[in-house]
Amino acid sequence: MEARVLRLLIVDTSPDDAAAALAALRPGGFLLKPERVQDLGGLQQALARSAWDAVLCEPALPRLKVETVLETLQRAGCDAPLLVLTREFSDEEMLALVRAGARDVIRKSRLGRLLPALERELAVAAERAAHRATLEALEEMRRKHRAVVEGAREAICYSQDGMHVDANRAYLALFEYESTAELEGVPLADLIDKSDQGRFKQFIRKPDGAPQEFVAVRRSGARFHAEIAAAPITLNGEACLQLFVTDISKRKAAETRLQFLNQRDPLTGLYNRTHFLRVLEEALAEVKAGGAPRALAYVALPGPPPADPAAAERFLLLAARALNEAFGPDATLARIADRDFAALLDAARTDRLSALCEAAERALKRHAAEVNADAGDGCRIAGLALDAGAQSAEAVLNALCAADAGAAASAAAPAAVDWPARVRAALERGAFRLMYQPIVHLHDDGAGELFEVLVRMVADDGTLVPAAQFMPPAEAAGLAAAIDRWVVRHAIRALAELRRQRREATFFVNLTAAGLEDVELAAITLRALQETRLQGRHVVFELDEAVLAGRPDAALAFMRAVGSLGCSFCVDNFGRALDAAHRLRESPIAYLKLDAAFAHGVARDPVAQASLKAVAEVAKSMGKKTIAKGVESAEAVSVLWTFGIDYVQGHYFQEADSEPRYDCAGEATLSSEVSPDWVASARKSR
């Protein structure tokens, strides 16, 4: 065992007494390095020359008292313990020496106590040194923390019992205060709008780390939207609350604008079809629950439209104005197709449905004369009362669109084709086919060949029936999950065959709401992957945004189950519902496929471009890859590339095919040796 070095300073005039003290210490295994001094000058020189671990002092020196030795040690910054060695002392003398700062008093006739006393004091001295080092490190951390807090762009404050105790410069500037002294004694709740104070007090009473949004109040009284996160901490030994405040006014304004764009038709300003169906679904649910009756009106303008595009747009604007006049401000009015409109009427107006439809027709004819004298003739208007037996909003609207002019149709009327029976027969025969449409990467990220897998039903005459025709009745009849199972099994087998051909392919497989809740689908996926020896990372399950929003628990359970196999996830029709972005922020979803409306007209429509840019920025901030679908022109591709969209899909590149052909990559990727024409124009526009 290595000997411990002990640098020992002995203040004594007797060499024999010093030697006796050293002899008493040798059993301790120390490597002794002693020095003896006998006056103040020698003591000062010894302290200046070296550092010492302990000091032994004789109290009876004629010109050097113990108190003087202690004062000299303190001035020199020496924290070594001092032990007094004396021949005789009274209890009063011992008490005086200890009060002066001596660590112990030992009789020279009992030096056996010296070694344990010194070892004890050396251990205490080591603890004091460690404590000092810890305090210094803590102080350094406090200085660094303060520097970080002061230099942070985020507004940060500290609160105790709901009152401000400290804040950084960013916080003071945000709330228009000059100094922390002005904030002292100001309750946190005073900086929150009264409408949010109750919720805010509950928030700081039980902070869980999750940020919440509040309306905050500046010193001047100006209000702004703030996102606040709170966490309990200890500050100067006291329990406090640390708050991070972010001004999100610009983001809220952008979100409000984006929500408006997502809900509205850009030409007429009326609601679009997607939002109207959502409102109609809610109204239908209220009727089914026994709520007040509601009515629905459908208006189809006669065609063809005026030859002049400007006149055609003018006529649509006039038609929107006419319908607003006829149905009144309480109606929810939407443009559901190019020249089709729909209105949801409240309970007070359902008994006047026929009269309202007639008024709408008269108003249309009156306004149509400004553009085309015949444009109002042949206008087709139908209305119906919402039926509690209707299956869905889409079914109600489709039934009304198919009704004769002015006739009230029943949403529960039987379909001309018995689709459920045809779907069951197709499932028994396996009469479905997979179709593949490429998803093209704009920036060559090495993802290989991406395909969306679409399903078609084979009719008796061999023609392929699109999913939009047979899937809604299949969902209503409870057959959608069975179709999903068929699609998953056959898609994985087809993908495995491509991988065996050494094609770096990935399939995007659509799921319905029923498939999402199908407890067997995850097991079917696992078996199919095992049978084909395919890695799950090559399969991306695509979920509609509305389905994900309506069944968040089922979606999370499915993503956990299938995600454990390595599969990824994509949200289809992203951007229709603004609150979906908040739900997706921490989800395991890798891709966001934008609603097709974002790509339509984006080449020339600045409103559509602003909407697309906002959605792309939201997706990028969440770290998700973006896919634009419904791309129909090179000009649209150019704009999409400029806004940083990752992938594109549409008929401009390639229509869905029964074979997974990927012949279009060179038309979009920037890595091709010969760049397509739109690349140069896109680069100039950046």
Side-chain angles (χ1 to χ4, degrees):
M1 181 177 178
E2 186 177 352
R4 294 177 292 172
V5 176
L6 179 63
R7 294 163 296 183
L8 187 64
L9 183 59
I10 303 174
V11 184
D12 201 330
T13 56
S14 171
D16 294 336
D17 289 348
L22 294 176
L25 294 175
R26 285 193 178 93
F30 293 108
L31 179 59
L32 298 172
K33 292 188 175 181
E35 180 175 342
R36 185 174 64 87
V37 298
Q38 47 190 344
D39 54 30
L40 181 59
L43 175 63
Q44 292 172 336
Q45 291 178 7
L47 292 174
R49 257 193 327 268
S50 179
W52 302 95
D53 298 316
V55 179
L56 303 181
C57 183
E58 163 60 55
L61 296 180
R63 294 185 299 275
L64 192 56
K65 302 298 183 183
V66 172
E67 292 81 0
T68 304
V69 173
L70 288 168
E71 291 175 3
T72 305
L73 292 174
Q74 186 176 6
R75 285 196 299 269
C78 178
D79 193 37
L82 183 143
L83 282 73
V84 174
L85 300 181
T86 183
R87 296 187 184 282
E88 295 293 338
F89 59 88
S90 63
D91 291 343
E92 291 76 10
E93 290 173 332
M94 182 183 71
L95 182 60
L97 291 171
V98 171
R99 285 178 174 173
R103 306 302 300 177
D104 205 344
V105 180
I106 300 170
R107 296 178 187 273
K108 290 185 177 181
S109 59
R110 296 182 180 178
L111 288 178
R113 283 191 59 240
L114 178 58
L115 179 58
L118 183 59
E119 288 179 332
R120 181 195 67 221
E121 293 306 320
L122 289 175
V124 172
E127 290 179 0
R128 284 202 307 271
H131 181 63
R132 281 196 306 272
T134 301
L135 291 178
E136 291 173 0
L138 180 60
E139 184 60 30
E140 179 65 18
M141 289 177 62
R142 286 176 177 169
R143 287 195 296 269
K144 290 181 179 178
H145 173 74
R146 189 65 194 176
V148 169
V149 170
E150 285 299 322
R153 293 183 179 181
E154 262 187 315
I156 304 173
C157 80
Y158 299 90
S159 165
Q160 191 173 37
D161 297 328
M163 308 294 288
H164 287 91
V165 295
D166 199 2
N168 68 350
R169 287 191 295 269
Y171 187 90
L172 296 173
L174 181 62
F175 287 98
E176 300 176 344
Y177 284 85
E178 296 294 331
S179 66
T180 53
E182 293 180 340
L183 268 178
E184 290 179 1
V186 176
L188 284 174
D190 283 5
L191 303 186
I192 302 298
D193 187 75
K194 290 183 179 179
S195 61
D196 277 350
Q197 283 186 358
R199 185 166 59 89
F200 178 75
K201 290 176 181 178
Q202 183 66 25
F203 169 71
I204 62 174
R205 195 173 294 122
K206 295 181 179 180
D208 58 2
Q212 292 189 25
E213 294 181 8
F214 301 93
V215 176
V217 184
R218 305 187 201 275
R219 192 178 188 181
S220 62
R223 280 151 175 78
F224 66 97
H225 290 278
E227 185 178 76
I228 303 178
I233 66 167
T234 300
L235 186 66
N236 297 327
E238 298 287 340
C240 293
L241 199 63
Q242 184 181 45
L243 288 91
F244 296 84
V245 184
T246 305
D247 185 349
I248 58 171
S249 300
K250 292 183 179 179
R251 191 186 83 190
K252 293 292 290 186
E255 289 177 350
T256 301
R257 175 61 177 163
L258 179 59
Q259 186 169 17
F260 179 85
L261 294 172
N262 287 341
Q263 294 178 353
R264 300 283 177 167
D265 170 56
L267 176 62
T268 63
L270 303 179
Y271 288 119
N272 57 29
R273 181 184 181 93
T274 301
H275 181 71
F276 184 76
L277 283 173
R278 191 177 298 120
V279 174
L280 181 57
E281 195 71 60
E282 294 173 357
L284 189 59
E286 292 177 5
V287 171
K288 290 180 178 181
R294 306 292 293 275
L296 182 65
Y298 165 74
V299 180
L301 301 181
D308 181 9
E313 290 186 358
R314 174 68 175 161
F315 176 56
L316 287 173
L317 290 170
L318 291 173
R321 184 189 305 172
L323 295 175
N324 266 318
E325 291 176 3
F327 292 119
D330 295 331
T332 302
L333 189 61
R335 182 186 178 195
I336 59 174
D338 184 37
R339 295 169 63 78
D340 293 0
F341 298 82
L344 179 64
L345 308 176
D346 60 18
R349 302 173 69 84
T350 55
D351 57 344
R352 298 178 51 240
L353 181 58
S354 297
L356 288 171
C357 289
E358 292 175 2
E361 187 170 7
R362 289 193 300 270
L364 282 171
K365 290 181 178 180
R366 184 175 65 254
H367 285 289
E370 300 181 26
V371 179
N372 186 327
D374 298 327
D377 295 334
C379 175
R380 183 164 163 262
I381 301 180
L384 60 79
L386 295 188
D387 189 340
Q391 295 173 350
S392 66
E394 190 81 45
V396 172
L397 195 57
N398 290 341
L400 187 55
C401 293
D404 291 334
S410 171
V417 178
D418 189 355
W419 284 110
R422 292 183 62 180
V423 171
R424 290 189 187 94
L427 285 168
E428 292 175 1
R429 303 192 312 268
F432 292 97
R433 294 290 183 272
L434 296 182
M435 304 289 284
Y436 309 91
Q437 186 173 39
I439 299 173
V440 183
H441 47 77
L442 290 179
H443 306 280
D444 191 24
D445 63 353
E449 302 177 5
L450 308 183
F451 294 93
E452 179 177 4
V453 178
L454 307 169
V455 63
R456 301 286 186 262
M457 187 172 71
V458 183
D460 294 338
D461 59 0
T463 59
L464 298 181
V465 182
Q469 196 167 351
F470 68 83
M471 282 303 295
E475 289 188 52
L479 301 172
I483 297 176
D484 282 345
R485 294 181 184 184
W486 188 95
V487 170
V488 168
R489 282 195 298 264
H490 287 76
I492 290 178
R493 291 171 189 169
L495 179 57
E497 178 59 31
L498 288 186
R499 302 296 299 189
R500 280 192 289 272
Q501 298 172 15
R502 300 192 179 278
R503 290 177 61 178
E504 296 294 324
T506 296
F507 280 3
F508 283 63
V509 181
N510 289 279
L511 289 184
T512 64
L516 198 65
E517 296 177 332
D518 183 9
V519 294
E520 294 295 325
L521 191 58
I524 290 172
T525 303
L526 173 59
R527 286 196 296 271
L529 292 174
Q530 290 175 338
E531 290 171 0
T532 59
R533 298 183 180 180
L534 183 70
Q535 295 183 18
R537 62 187 179 89
H538 301 303
V539 179
V540 180
F541 284 102
E542 196 167 308
L543 316 171
D544 190 88
E545 181 184 76
V547 172
L548 194 64
R551 297 165 174 81
D553 294 337
L556 183 59
F558 178 81
M559 285 189 283
R560 284 175 177 169
V562 182
S564 64
L565 307 178
C567 300
S568 301
F569 305 94
C570 172
V571 173
D572 193 15
N573 295 317
F574 176 74
R576 289 179 176 177
L578 183 65
D579 57 350
H582 300 288
R583 294 192 299 271
L584 299 177
R585 186 179 300 177
E586 303 300 331
S587 70
I589 290 166
Y591 302 90
L592 301 177
K593 184 177 288 189
L594 308 185
D595 186 82
F598 288 106
H600 292 166
V602 74
R604 296 180 177 85
D605 186 353
V607 175
Q609 291 178 8
S611 180
L612 173 67
K613 184 178 181 181
V615 171
E617 289 176 352
V618 169
K620 185 177 180 181
S621 68
M622 293 190 293
K624 316 293 185 185
K625 295 286 188 180
T626 50
I627 304 172
K629 66 178 183 178
V631 179
E632 304 293 342
S633 67
E635 292 81 3
V637 177
S638 174
V639 176
L640 294 168
W641 182 78
T642 301
F643 288 156
I645 300 300
D646 299 293
Y647 302 89
V648 285
Q649 176 184 0
H651 292 168
Y652 170 71
F653 299 101
Q654 193 170 308
E655 295 186 5
D657 194 273
S658 58
E659 295 295 330
R661 296 184 298 106
Y662 204 76
D663 303 332
C664 54
E667 299 180 36
T669 177
L670 298 182
S671 66
S672 57
E673 295 181 2
V674 181
S675 298
D677 295 337
W678 59 265
V679 174
S681 60
R683 285 174 173 159
K684 289 179 182 178
S685 65
R686 292 195 76 170

